[in-house]
Amino acid sequence: MHKERKHVYNTGIIGNCAFIAHVDKSANISWLCWPSFQDTFIFGGLLDKGLGGEFSILPSGDIVSSTQHYLENTNILATTIESEEGSYRVTDFAPRFEQYERYYKPLMLIRKVEPIAGHPKIKVTCDPVFNYGQQSFEKFRGSNHIQFERADVKMRLATNMPISHFFDDDIPYVLSKPIYLVLTYGSPFEAAIERTAEDFLKRTKQYWRKWVKNASIPSFYQQEVIRSSLALKLHQYEDTGAIIAASTTSLPEFPGSGRNWDYRYCWLRDSYYVLQALSHIGHFEEMERYASYIANITQTDTGRLQPLYGIFGHHKLEEHTLDYLEGYLGNKPIRVGNQASEHIQNDVYGQALIALLPLFTDHRFRHQNLAFTKDWTEFILDKIETTIDEKDAGIWEFRNFENRHCYSNLFQWAGATAALKIAKQYNLADMEKKALYLRDKASAHIESCFVADKGVYMNAVGSDNVDASTLQLIMMGYLDPSSERAKTHLIELEKELKGEHGLFYRYLHRDDFGKPKATFLVCAFWYVEALACVGRLDEAQEVFKQLLSFGNHLMLFSEDIQEDDGSQWGNFPQAYSHVGLVNAAYRIAMKLDRPVFFES
């Protein structure tokens, strides 16, 4: 890999399950959507440095060096900046802790700035914007705060540094003791600034460390699994339980690709993988919230289920472009909304059924859900029956053509298998009969994708193309992992789709946006799992280790990796890349089954 050309997202994220903010290595808040993940950015320098607003803490001179790290086992981020006058540290966090038997998670961003060495001079700029950079806020001076107002939107920055600093651009501030910057949306911050900020910092630190302590983390690459688990946790909008794919929009899959999508939504059809990861780390509260979100959607959307929904369960995610924004490194278009919500993706029904299976069959949860188990399972089985012979857009969301995809039928097979388990537990003879019929029918469709002389399953009936989604045939147990058919299928996929350094392409055939140039990182983690399943455990460990090199300085992973130089592209960080890491690590750890005193 040519490391000098390698593109990496030099940012970290903080959040509290109500919002996510991106902090770059210069300590600017380069991305923050308020009041929720899918609202307008308040700071959007990631997509337009001019119109995106700014919340920066810069030295009066040049930055000599900058480093970032998370406080161990937390989502609290520290950025250390060294300038010619001296060095200082910015500690950024979103308050989150237990209070009054619930979680306190306000729309509040707290920044602590403290001197480390020398006499650093800083300039703090706080200029939020609204309506995706089309409008600015009126700024009013208070005694210890600045009030930002726009129509019915109000924000406030409370601070113990001189307010005049924010109204005079010429005079830097000599940092001789810690200062605190508390930005709030809606409700003003009306408390002792320093004491409250330090108290919130302490309690937030304790919360995250307790959360990690209560997680089931395997000993295999434990630090990396902890970081991925913490990142995944931030992507849950706790109010509804939805988990978004990413907090960003329109970061390109590769430069000039036009593949710039809005990922601030919840992909129902990826729910199985997310719930699998949450189950592996033993965080059942997040699992139940997410499952509840899925159940609510399937109860309210009685028509055809969509691949994705808004975090509040909204169906209409109409896609439009913001042509006035310059885009990340000049990449356009900037999209808000996602047209994939209109796609037909028939794997979604099986995804929903197996995702909620633990709520119906696991004896830790089963008693809570007895009342609607039968009706809900029958509802999903009816949907599978209606769609099992249809063509669809598939997992990769092709926009201008449809096929009968192997992957869609695989999840219909899995959904029917899950329904069979439910039927047997609850002694539902009619459901058992229907589930067996649908499982056999889905299996017949999957087998029609098999090309015997090559020993491989194609991506769709009558297709000449393979894709990485069929790795799931092995991982989900449709193929016996110890069988020659599973092993041969994996070898054939490797021949076509395996890249350098453990990377794996989704597919390499031309789609409606041209031939892909970047690899989809979660597919590489699927490949790791498939290797482990078929018994190639040494290779699985080696590939996993290679994939860790594609994280940024904070071990955060993007959606896509360019094979030739290892560059990070696509929306960042990508929740499903972190889900893939957690699931792959867990799969290897299970296969290794080593005593804890063995070296990882």
Side-chain angles (χ1 to χ4, degrees), residues 204-266:
T204 300
K205 194 187 304 181
Q206 289 172 339
Y207 166 80
W208 287 119
R209 288 178 174 166
K210 181 180 178 183
W211 188 87
V212 170
K213 192 187 296 184
N214 290 338
S216 303
I217 306 291
S219 58
F220 182 77
Y221 284 98
Q222 195 173 60
Q223 276 188 298
E224 290 78 6
V225 174
I226 288 171
R227 180 49 51 201
S228 284
S229 301
L230 284 164
L232 174 59
K233 170 68 173 172
L234 289 189
H235 286 78
Q236 181 164 52
Y237 189 70
E238 191 168 71
D239 190 52
T240 62
I243 294 178
I244 56 172
S247 56
T248 52
T249 179
S250 304
L251 302 184
E253 289 187 11
F254 55 88
S257 65
R259 299 168 181 260
N260 311 350
W261 316 115
D262 190 349
Y263 274 10
R264 298 172 299 162
Y265 305 107
C266 183

Side-chain angles (χ1 to χ4, degrees), residues 84-115:
E84 292 174 356
E85 292 95 357
S87 58
Y88 58 95
R89 181 184 300 113
V90 182
T91 301
D92 287 303
F93 71 101
R96 179 176 174 82
F97 46 84
E98 290 182 53
Q99 183 169 269
Y100 309 127
E101 298 181 358
R102 55 185 182 268
Y103 293 116
Y104 180 66
K105 51 181 192 303
L107 295 179
M108 178 187 296
L109 170 62
I110 299 181
R111 319 196 72 184
K112 176 184 178 181
V113 191
E114 55 189 324

Side-chain angles (χ1 to χ4, degrees), residues 327-345:
Y328 181 77
L329 299 180
N331 280 275
K332 291 189 174 187
I334 311 304
R335 289 185 172 94
V336 172
N338 198 307
Q339 190 246 329
S341 61
E342 302 169 14
H343 288 186
I344 295 173
Q345 293 180 34

Side-chain angles (χ1 to χ4, degrees), residues 49 117 124 128 165 183 211 308 317 321 348 445 447 461 490 554:
K49 295 194 185 311
V124 181
H165 179 83
L183 184 67
W211 188 87
L308 64 151
L317 307 177
T321 60
V348 68
H445 285 329
E447 289 307 311
V461 177
L490 178 55
L554 295 165

Side-chain angles (χ1 to χ4, degrees), residues 7-21:
H7 169 268
V8 177
Y9 292 110
N10 285 311
T11 62
I13 58 169
I14 60 169
N16 61 4
C17 302
F19 72 90
I20 291 176

Side-chain angles (χ1 to χ4, degrees), residues 22 29 59 92 126 169 171 223 313 316 326 338 344 375 386 417 430 500 502 515 549 583 597:
H22 292 235
I29 304 296
D92 287 303
C126 185
D169 293 331
I171 304 172
Q223 276 188 298
K316 292 184 179 179
E326 65 182 22
N338 198 307
I344 295 173
D375 290 346
T386 303
T417 304
D430 289 345
E500 296 292 324
K515 191 174 180 179
S549 68
N583 288 337
F597 51 82

Side-chain angles (χ1 to χ4, degrees), residues 257-493:
S257 65
R259 299 168 181 260
N260 311 350
W261 316 115
D262 190 349
Y263 274 10
R264 298 172 299 162
Y265 305 107
C266 183
W267 264 254
L268 196 63
R269 67 112 166 93
D270 287 321
S271 53
Y272 167 65
Y273 308 117
V274 175
L275 283 164
Q276 190 180 38
L278 291 171
S279 176
H280 288 337
I281 62 175
H283 270 294
F284 299 112
E285 183 179 325
E286 290 80 3
M287 226 178 109
E288 283 191 275
R289 285 182 183 276
Y290 188 38
S292 176
Y293 168 82
I294 295 168
N296 285 338
I297 282 173
T298 56
Q299 290 292 298
T300 56
D301 193 352
T302 53
R304 184 184 286 275
L305 289 181
Q306 298 175 185
L308 64 151
Y309 290 84
I311 58 174
F312 304 106
H314 292 147
H315 304 183
K316 292 184 179 179
L317 307 177
E318 186 177 338
E319 185 176 289
H320 62 281
T321 60
L322 306 178
D323 298 327
Y324 58 90
L325 293 174
E326 65 182 22
Y328 181 77
L329 299 180
N331 280 275
K332 291 189 174 187
I334 311 304
R335 289 185 172 94
V336 172
N338 198 307
Q339 190 246 329
S341 61
E342 302 169 14
H343 288 186
I344 295 173
Q345 293 180 34
N346 289 328
D347 60 304
V348 68
Y349 304 107
Q351 284 268 4
L353 215 165
I354 60 177
L356 267 64
L357 181 65
L359 299 188
F360 304 141
T361 59
D362 189 313
H363 288 275
R364 289 169 292 184
F365 313 118
R366 186 171 174 250
H367 64 282
Q368 302 171 16
N369 304 291
L370 295 174
F372 82 110
T373 298
K374 181 177 181 291
D375 290 346
W376 189 87
T377 307
E378 286 179 342
F379 166 73
I380 295 294
L381 271 182
D382 287 344
K383 295 293 186 184
I384 290 175
E385 185 174 32
T386 303
T387 60
I388 199 165
D389 297 319
E390 284 185 352
K391 294 180 177 181
D392 67 4
I395 181 178
W396 307 128
E397 298 175 348
F398 300 124
R399 292 194 167 205
N400 294 317
F401 52 87
E402 293 183 331
N403 286 300
R404 204 170 72 216
H405 288 96
C406 181
Y407 182 86
S408 298
N409 288 133
L410 172 63
F411 270 90
Q412 290 165 333
W413 172 86
T417 304
L420 191 59
K421 182 175 181 177
I422 292 168
K424 286 181 176 179
Q425 269 204 22
Y426 290 81
N427 297 314
L428 302 170
D430 289 345
M431 183 187 292
E432 183 176 344
K433 184 179 177 181
K434 187 171 187 175
L436 279 168
Y437 163 73
L438 290 173
R439 188 177 70 168
D440 290 344
K441 192 168 190 181
S443 183
H445 285 329
I446 293 169
E447 289 307 311
S448 66
C449 297
F450 184 65
V451 178
D453 60 340
K454 292 184 178 180
V456 68
Y457 289 81
M458 295 300 178
N459 73 320
V461 177
S463 171
D464 295 325
N465 301 310
V466 296
D467 82 38
S469 68
T470 60
L471 288 167
Q472 295 290 340
L473 292 167
I474 301 169
M475 295 151 59
M476 295 180 66
Y478 175 83
L479 296 177
D480 179 351
S482 64
S483 68
E484 283 305 310
R485 181 170 283 204
K487 292 173 182 177
T488 303
H489 176 63
L490 178 55
I491 289 168
E492 291 301 313
L493 290 182

